[in-house]
Amino acid sequence: MAARRMRGRPYRAVGHHGPVDPTPGAAMLRRGLGIVRREVALHPVPFLVAVFGAAVYAVASVATSAVLARIVDQVITPRFDGGAFSARSAALAAAAIVGVGVARAAGVVLRRTAASIAQASVRTTLAGEVVDRMQAQPLAWLRERPSGELLAHAHADPEAATEVLGPLPFATGVVVLVVVAATWLFASDWVLGLVALVVFPTLVAVNVVYQRRVATPAERAQDLVGSVTAAAHESLEGALVIKVLGAEEREAERFADRAGHLRDAKVHVAHLRAGFEATLDAVPALATVLVVVVGAWRIQEGAVTVGTLVGAVSLFTLMIWPLRLIGFVLGDLPRSVAGWNRIEAILALPARPEAGAPEAAGAGAGAGAPARVEAQGVTVAHGGARPVLADVSFTVRPGATVALVGPTGAGKTTLLLVLAGLLAPDEGRVVLDDAPADGLDPVHRAGRVAIAFQDPFLFGGTVAQNVDVAGTLAPAGIVETLRRADADRFVADLPHGAATRLGERGATLSGGQRQRIALARALARTPGLLLLDDATSSVDPVTEGRILSRLTRPGGPTVVLVASRAAAIALADEVLFLRKGRLVARGPHQQLLEEVPAYRHLVEAYQRDRHR
């Protein structure tokens, strides 16, 4: 079915880079060579060593044919002609064969090892740059893109972009092989040299035709990899929801549809490549036949010896496989160009800002000192008609605890993301420690502001690794941080305490336990501003009260929390009441209960819901 849908449909990328731009023929080759230069420049030494190894192999291969020619003329032919046999000549011939064989083997080992190191090194560097550049992008940019597409950028695209680096050193060795072989053939007989000059341009012509035909299908196939990865990632991440809804068949059909498109694109490229490789096999084989015919005529003419013909045939036989390597390089080139184009689109995004001096970064407050935060006319629209936040302004004094209260969709979480610097407002600004937050050094801001979410993300490592992500705390410091988050007791009961490994996303813990581990992770950085997005909603009210009372003691951080329990709200020094993205009231909890009917009705609704 997927194949039927594909017929007649123009090739178009499904990622975020728009339609495929076909790059045919010579333009593809120029583009590919430019990409190769940039990749080799990342790790030139192992690549150059691989090229040297390929050159040693090429020279040794031609030497093998030259040695074989001399053996035929000086050892074998005299034996057949007059029965003479020279043991010394035979021994020298054997030594020569062994010598060039060892040289060829050494060249192969050197080329393969160095080429693998070069390819892996460049791939690792590109993947690191891509991941670093994606992590530097705003939260909104990451939210707009499927996780599978991002994973493809981090893994599949660097792999595709460096695919050409594996066979490329061998291909450069083939160029050396062709030059040395043609030189030897011309030196032996100019007619045999002309045969070589006919074969090599033919191979180049075949490759040019192939490049023109495979460029667009290869680009499409590479883009479809991201689409299939996105579908698989979403289905696996949402496995629980899919099973609850009984939507397995629908998800299977959705994945099969995307996989079918990828299969069709890959099969199309494979068909093109199969014909290309068959032609590459046929041309050297036909050339060998031509060499035998022409060589026999030249022997009759007395222009060459039998040994020269045997050496020429041997040379073309040895060259059949290396000549295919040029085809492999050119065959991999479209895929590498496609992968590089996608990488280039990511690397063209804004880079992570350089760390500034503390004075320029607004580091007026010391580490761990309560922060002062001010929102000035903050408006966030997310591209919609009605702003999620509209002209929100307030100030939180250092060490204060402020509760954000409002109905669903009021903009509470969005406001926390703005305060954390994870989301840039469309209008207005946030001031942290008397400096505009958008001008702060990101490293300094990350050290001053910490956030814990209602649905926390835990890594698959140990409890200690999840708490102390930076790896700067001593074991006693980790225990103290767990105690502040009221997580020390249940962690002590785990099989290996803080050294217990958690499942993916903390699957081995309950919801409340995950929230407390995430809260401990936020506290481990001794932030000056602690943002809690309903981060204790899964723990019981007694535990929540114990946690919040520890956090709101004098000397603690400035706390801004989204709250829905009356007991938690009552701990706040001030409440900000949000409705439809606007700050409609602010003040102490008891005062708002008495003066704002909408606030009182919402809190009472919270309480009734808790009782039920």
Side-chain angles (χ1 to χ4, degrees), residues 463-482:
V463 173
Q465 290 170 341
N466 271 277
V467 173
D468 184 20
V469 177
T472 58
L473 294 179
I478 293 176
V479 172
E480 174 58 23
T481 303
L482 289 170

Side-chain angles (χ1 to χ4, degrees), residues 32-304:
L33 291 177
I35 290 170
V36 167
R37 283 196 299 270
R38 296 175 66 178
E39 291 182 348
V40 169
L42 296 175
H43 297 279
V45 173
F47 183 82
L48 293 177
V49 171
V51 169
F52 175 75
V56 170
Y57 170 85
V59 173
S61 295
V62 178
T64 299
S65 297
V67 168
L68 182 60
R70 292 182 66 86
I71 290 174
V72 170
D73 287 339
Q74 297 181 10
V75 178
I76 298 177
T77 300
R79 175 64 174 169
F80 280 100
D81 289 344
F85 176 76
S86 171
R88 180 176 180 276
S89 298
L92 291 175
I97 291 176
V98 171
V100 295
V102 170
R104 287 184 67 197
V108 170
V109 171
L110 190 62
R111 173 186 56 79
R112 287 184 177 179
T113 302
S116 298
I117 293 173
Q119 186 178 31
S121 300
V122 173
R123 183 176 299 170
T124 301
T125 298
L126 288 178
E129 290 182 357
V130 167
V131 171
D132 185 69
R133 191 61 57 91
M134 289 194 298
Q135 288 178 338
Q137 301 315 302
L139 182 64
W141 185 92
L142 294 169
R143 284 179 165 180
E144 291 172 0
R145 284 152 179 80
S147 298
E149 183 73 15
L150 299 178
L151 289 173
H153 284 312
H155 174 68
D157 291 342
E159 182 177 338
T162 57
E163 196 73 28
V164 71
L165 291 182
L168 184 58
F170 201 174
T172 61
V174 173
V175 175
V176 176
L177 176 61
V178 168
V179 172
V180 176
T183 302
W184 180 72
L185 287 174
F186 267 108
S188 301
D189 182 58
W190 66 271
V191 177
L192 293 178
L194 287 179
V195 173
L197 290 182
V198 172
V199 174
F200 302 144
T202 302
L203 289 172
V204 173
V206 170
N207 282 304
V208 169
V209 172
Y210 174 69
Q211 295 305 313
R212 291 181 181 275
R213 297 188 62 189
V214 81
T216 300
E219 180 86 18
R220 173 175 171 76
Q222 188 60 27
D223 276 337
L224 285 171
V225 170
S227 175
V228 172
T229 306
H233 184 268
E234 189 174 36
S235 295
L236 295 174
E237 284 289 299
L240 179 60
V241 176
I242 291 171
K243 288 185 176 295
V244 169
L245 297 176
E248 292 92 342
E249 185 175 352
R250 182 187 67 83
E251 283 298 305
E253 291 177 354
R254 184 171 72 98
F255 181 79
D257 180 70
R258 297 193 185 186
H261 283 70
L262 177 60
R263 176 202 61 211
D264 294 340
K266 290 280 191 181
V267 168
H268 185 50
V269 173
H271 283 163
L272 294 173
R273 184 160 189 166
F276 172 60
E277 292 184 3
T279 304
L280 283 179
D281 280 341
V283 171
L286 292 175
T288 302
V289 174
L290 183 60
V291 167
V292 171
V293 173
V294 173
W297 167 64
R298 296 298 287 170
I299 290 175
Q300 287 182 340
E301 295 289 320
V304 299

Side-chain angles (χ1 to χ4, degrees), residues 262-401:
L262 177 60
R263 176 202 61 211
D264 294 340
K266 290 280 191 181
V267 168
H268 185 50
V269 173
H271 283 163
L272 294 173
R273 184 160 189 166
F276 172 60
E277 292 184 3
T279 304
L280 283 179
D281 280 341
V283 171
L286 292 175
T288 302
V289 174
L290 183 60
V291 167
V292 171
V293 173
V294 173
W297 167 64
R298 296 298 287 170
I299 290 175
Q300 287 182 340
E301 295 289 320
V304 299
T305 64
V306 174
T308 300
L309 176 59
V310 171
V313 172
S314 170
L315 183 61
F316 272 90
T317 303
L318 290 174
M319 289 175 63
I320 289 177
W321 170 249
L323 285 173
R324 291 190 64 183
L325 260 295
I326 295 181
F328 289 162
V329 170
L330 296 176
D332 289 333
L333 204 58
R335 183 167 180 257
S336 292
V337 169
W340 181 269
N341 287 342
R342 288 164 57 85
I343 289 175
E344 205 170 40
I346 297 298
L347 297 182
L349 296 170
R352 193 185 305 274
E354 294 293 334
E359 294 78 14
R372 178 182 181 276
V373 61
E374 180 181 359
Q376 301 175 349
V378 171
T379 298
V380 178
H382 289 319
R386 183 178 69 83
V388 180
L389 292 175
D391 195 24
V392 174
S393 299
F394 60 88
T395 301
V396 181
R397 59 180 175 80
T401 299

Side-chain angles (χ1 to χ4, degrees), residues 580-600:
K580 296 182 179 179
R582 296 187 176 275
L583 179 58
V584 296
R586 60 183 299 180
H589 171 59
Q590 194 60 40
Q591 177 183 335
L592 295 185
L593 285 177
E594 297 171 356
E595 298 178 359
V596 183
Y599 177 79
R600 182 174 63 253

